Amino acid sequence: MAAKRVIVAIDGPAGVGKSTLAKRIADKLGFAYVNSGAMYRAVALWALRLGVATSDMHRLEQLSNEARIELPPGEEHRVLLNGEDVSEAIRELKVSQAASQISAIPAVRRALLQVQRDMAKKGSIVMEGRDIGSVVFPEAQVKIFLDADPIERAKRRAIELHGHEENVESIANELQKRDHRDRTRSEAPLVQAPDAQLVDTTGLSLDEVEEIVLRLVRARVSNGKAATG
Ligand code: DC
């Protein structure tokens, strides 16, 4: 009998380390990896380039439906928008802010939700974001909610951006603003699904977090087959 498709949903606030962790877990398990935030970022980048206001719901809905977003598998976190490699461009601060704004629009979420669900049709997957366990895949066999102290998250982000702890306070402010918006929007807010396992990564190394999460995944999935329930 063919092994059942397994979905690992990883959610949590900005800067908690979801992408790095999710990619590592996917590689270890041989699953596909999808960064759903990159999809919102790609639409936001397109809107910024075209000068579409973050309040123009109609145009943003159109862009979300028309955007060809590809996340090619491989070592790097590559993101293609309409065939162009935008991996670097979508990491800019103004894109982070715009992504958080446009992701509150229900029609934008609807368009990307469909793309995200389609991505899991091909096989087992690790997908990370804000609403993966709560909305995109409520049936996921494994749901992890990552969290960490806000200052530690800002320090990690600073090291990622500058190679050392620089501008920690302003980064903390930006993360806090984005988290507040992501948590308080009415459509698919950032929330820990009731059946998600909380992993507080404060003070833990990436290796330690990886070990905890892999243990949780393996407890739910045995011999390459999904545990029932
Ligand atoms: O994960 P990230 O920081 O790259 O996400 C950028 C923004 O996209 C985030 O502030 C909120 C939005 N987002 C979302 O609303 N739902 C998701 N599943 C992933 C991201």
Side-chain angles (χ1 to χ4, degrees):
M1 202 173 74
K4 198 179 158 199
R5 180 189 66 147
V6 177
I7 297 173
V8 179
I10 301 183
D11 291 300
V16 76
K18 297 183 296 293
S19 307
T20 313
L21 177 76
K23 175 82 169 76
R24 276 202 185 196
I25 300 287
D27 286 349
K28 281 266 159 74
L29 297 170
F31 291 5
Y33 159 66
V34 175
N35 175 343
S36 67
M39 302 167 91
Y40 289 96
R41 286 172 180 270
V43 174
L45 174 69
W46 201 15
L48 285 170
R49 283 179 173 177
L50 295 176
V52 175
T54 50
S55 56
D56 188 345
M57 298 199 191
H58 180 66
R59 277 293 279 145
L60 290 168
E61 177 178 8
Q62 258 182 349
L63 294 186
S64 312
N65 282 311
E66 286 169 15
R68 269 191 304 115
I69 302 168
E70 294 164 81
L71 308 170
E75 274 311 299
E76 301 299 322
H77 295 249
R78 294 285 112 192
V79 182
L80 305 184
L81 168 66
N82 302 327
E84 177 194 345
D85 188 335
V86 294
S87 319
E88 305 284 325
I90 61 165
R91 295 288 142 207
E92 284 177 25
L93 180 62
K94 60 178 190 294
V95 180
S96 306
Q97 288 163 344
S100 175
Q101 286 169 334
I102 66 150
S103 68
I105 300 170
V108 170
R109 300 205 71 83
R110 260 197 309 279
L112 297 187
L113 176 68
Q114 201 45 54
V115 183
Q116 288 156 8
R117 288 191 174 150
D118 287 347
M119 284 175 159
K121 285 187 179 151
K122 294 175 211 137
S124 296
I125 197 165
V126 179
M127 192 178 291
E128 49 104 350
R130 303 292 187 289
D131 62 337
I132 310 305
S134 56
V135 174
V136 183
F137 297 116
E139 77 282 18
Q141 292 89 344
V142 188
K143 298 184 187 180
I144 310 284
F145 191 88
L146 285 188
D147 211 346
D149 169 73
I151 293 298
E152 183 158 330
R153 286 194 277 128
K155 285 182 180 168
R156 288 181 194 165
R157 181 52 59 89
I159 291 170
E160 205 177 280
L161 290 173
H162 312 296
H164 55 98
E165 289 181 14
E166 186 185 306
N167 288 338
V168 172
E169 208 170 307
S170 72
I171 293 173
N173 279 338
E174 191 271 322
L175 293 182
Q176 196 253 331
K177 253 192 229 150
R178 204 142 62 86
D179 284 344
H180 178 74
R181 194 186 294 117
D182 296 344
R183 283 181 201 276
T184 56
R185 67 182 177 221
S186 53
E187 186 87 4
L190 166 64
V191 66
Q192 182 184 341
D195 52 349
Q197 178 80 41
L198 174 67
V199 177
D200 186 340
T201 70
T202 310
L204 297 181
S205 69
L206 185 56
D207 284 344
E208 288 168 326
V209 180
E210 180 186 310
E211 200 186 313
I212 292 169
V213 171
L214 275 177
R215 216 181 308 126
L216 288 169
V217 175
R218 288 185 174 131
R220 299 282 297 157
V221 179
S222 59
N223 298 326
K225 290 183 184 162
T228 49

